[in-house]
Amino acid sequence: MKIIAVIPARYEASRFPGKLMQALGEKTVIATTYQNVSETGLFDEVFVATDSEIIFNEIQQIGGKAVMTGQHETGSDRIAEAVQHLDCDIVINVQGDEPFLKTGPLKQLIEVFRHDENREISLASLKIRLQEREEIQSPNNVKVITDLQDFALYFSRSVIPFHREKSIDATYYKHIGVYAFRKEALLKFATLKMTPLEKLEKIECLRYLENGMKIKMIETDFVGVGIDVPEDLEKARAMISTKKR
């Protein structure tokens, strides 16, 4: 299998415009993400897909590869445009605002497809258990619930599941915005119109569920910082400072 990683990067993020160009240690957020993904050594190719000349030039200046795309509502749509003419089998979508993603979780996603001999899985993604009430209740954390085979049932910014029966312990999972697609599934996604729940929750993977497609969820113990709001950037900077000590 030829496996590539694509980092969709939009400058004008709605909740934190310009976040990918914010300083994180000695580099920008997007440069940190790009270099960390490249250094895993897992991919035949890594590049950034963006509609921003600022981000395009940033990646070029650090010796990386970037491609310009049109404007898109979701990262998956942007990646679909970028890879439509490329020879590849599996496409890993790494969010530009996940600068600390490690090798282990990416390997887990790739292994899903190496063991899928009947090609039943079109898309896989990551989840991590949430412990703190503040994290569980935050709408910035997308929660996911799955069936008994770990296929996603629903994603929401609300707290799911609802903990009505207090005699039973509730487990909550955060969806980490890293996806692994078969190329044909990604291209199919891009032909589908945005769906009602996707528009309502602003969660792109709901488009798959609303069209009857399956998403295999892989639990990981990866702990990083997805940078959605300015407070997340401060957490990320604190992590950088801690590593330097």
Side-chain angles (χ1 to χ4, degrees), residues 111-122 182:
E111 287 303 307
V112 165
F113 294 97
R114 294 200 189 281
H115 293 97
D116 183 32
E117 295 179 359
N118 295 325
R119 297 175 61 89
E120 295 175 338
I121 299 173
S122 299
R182 291 195 188 278

Side-chain angles (χ1 to χ4, degrees), residues 98-156:
E98 286 278 356
F100 301 121
L101 193 61
K102 296 180 180 179
T103 302
L106 294 173
K107 277 186 176 179
Q108 287 177 285
L109 287 175
I110 292 170
E111 287 303 307
V112 165
F113 294 97
R114 294 200 189 281
H115 293 97
D116 183 32
E117 295 179 359
N118 295 325
R119 297 175 61 89
E120 295 175 338
I121 299 173
S122 299
L123 168 63
S125 194
L126 298 173
K127 65 177 182 177
I128 185 170
R129 188 172 298 195
L130 289 172
Q131 304 287 355
E132 302 297 328
R133 178 162 298 278
E134 180 182 351
E135 293 291 304
I136 293 168
Q137 294 180 337
S138 172
N140 293 323
N141 289 332
V142 173
K143 274 70 70 176
V144 59
I145 50 175
T146 61
D147 66 14
L148 297 178
Q149 285 73 48
D150 277 329
F151 285 99
L153 291 171
Y154 193 63
F155 299 84
S156 183

Side-chain angles (χ1 to χ4, degrees), residues 3 37 47 62 90 101 105 139-140 156 161 166 175 180 220 231 240:
I3 303 170
V37 174
F47 62 90
I62 64 170
I90 305 298
L101 193 61
N140 293 323
S156 183
K166 300 302 182 183
H175 176 223
T220 179
E231 291 78 10
I240 290 282

Side-chain angles (χ1 to χ4, degrees), residues 6-7 9 30 34 45-69 82:
V6 186
I7 304 168
I30 188 62
Y34 177 85
E45 188 175 2
V46 179
F47 62 90
V48 170
T50 184
D51 58 5
S52 165
E53 290 187 5
I54 295 172
I55 291 174
F56 179 88
N57 292 336
E58 170 72 3
I59 298 302
Q60 292 275 304
Q61 287 173 6
I62 64 170
K65 181 176 180 180
V67 298
M68 291 292 292
T69 68

Side-chain angles (χ1 to χ4, degrees), residues 14-242:
S14 58
R15 283 176 289 173
F16 190 1
K19 65 181 181 180
L20 297 183
M21 290 299 295
Q22 294 291 317
L24 186 58
E26 298 175 356
K27 300 187 287 285
T28 59
V29 172
I30 188 62
T32 301
T33 303
Y34 177 85
Q35 291 183 342
N36 285 348
V37 174
S38 298
E39 288 170 2
T40 65
L42 295 173
F43 304 105
D44 296 293
E45 188 175 2
V46 179
F47 62 90
V48 170
T50 184
D51 58 5
S52 165
E53 290 187 5
I54 295 172
I55 291 174
F56 179 88
N57 292 336
E58 170 72 3
I59 298 302
Q60 292 275 304
Q61 287 173 6
I62 64 170
K65 181 176 180 180
V67 298
M68 291 292 292
T69 68
Q71 294 185 349
H72 295 282
E73 287 289 334
T74 74
S76 296
D77 288 310
R78 187 180 307 283
I79 290 175
E81 179 191 339
V83 306
Q84 59 183 324
H85 300 303
L86 291 183
D87 177 23
C88 60
D89 300 293
I90 305 298
V91 182
I92 308 292
N93 170 351
V94 180
Q95 301 291 355
D97 59 7
E98 286 278 356
F100 301 121
L101 193 61
K102 296 180 180 179
T103 302
L106 294 173
K107 277 186 176 179
Q108 287 177 285
L109 287 175
I110 292 170
E111 287 303 307
V112 165
F113 294 97
R114 294 200 189 281
H115 293 97
D116 183 32
E117 295 179 359
N118 295 325
R119 297 175 61 89
E120 295 175 338
I121 299 173
S122 299
L123 168 63
S125 194
L126 298 173
K127 65 177 182 177
I128 185 170
R129 188 172 298 195
L130 289 172
Q131 304 287 355
E132 302 297 328
R133 178 162 298 278
E134 180 182 351
E135 293 291 304
I136 293 168
Q137 294 180 337
S138 172
N140 293 323
N141 289 332
V142 173
K143 274 70 70 176
V144 59
I145 50 175
T146 61
D147 66 14
L148 297 178
Q149 285 73 48
D150 277 329
F151 285 99
L153 291 171
Y154 193 63
F155 299 84
S156 183
R157 298 185 184 279
S158 297
V159 179
I160 52 173
F162 178 74
H163 193 186
R164 179 176 179 179
E165 181 49 70
K166 300 302 182 183
S167 66
I168 301 173
D169 290 335
T171 303
Y172 301 94
Y173 288 98
K174 174 183 177 180
H175 176 223
I176 297 174
V178 181
Y179 306 89
F181 303 89
R182 291 195 188 278
K183 180 185 175 183
E184 58 266 30
L186 176 62
L187 297 183
K188 178 180 178 180
F189 174 91
T191 67
L192 301 172
K193 294 181 180 180
M194 291 186 73
T195 50
L197 291 173
E198 177 190 10
K199 292 178 182 178
L200 190 66
E201 294 246 26
K202 292 294 184 183
I203 301 173
E204 65 190 75
C205 44
L206 288 173
R207 193 186 311 179
Y208 279 92
L209 298 187
E210 289 184 87
N211 280 284
M213 302 171 74
K214 286 190 171 184
I215 304 176
K216 182 73 170 181
M217 299 302 300
I218 309 299
E219 184 174 356
T220 179
D221 59 1
F222 161 73
V223 178
V225 178
I227 300 173
D228 293 311
V229 292
E231 291 78 10
D232 295 330
L233 180 61
E234 295 309 313
K235 292 179 184 177
R237 287 171 173 167
M239 287 182 66
I240 290 282
S241 299
T242 301

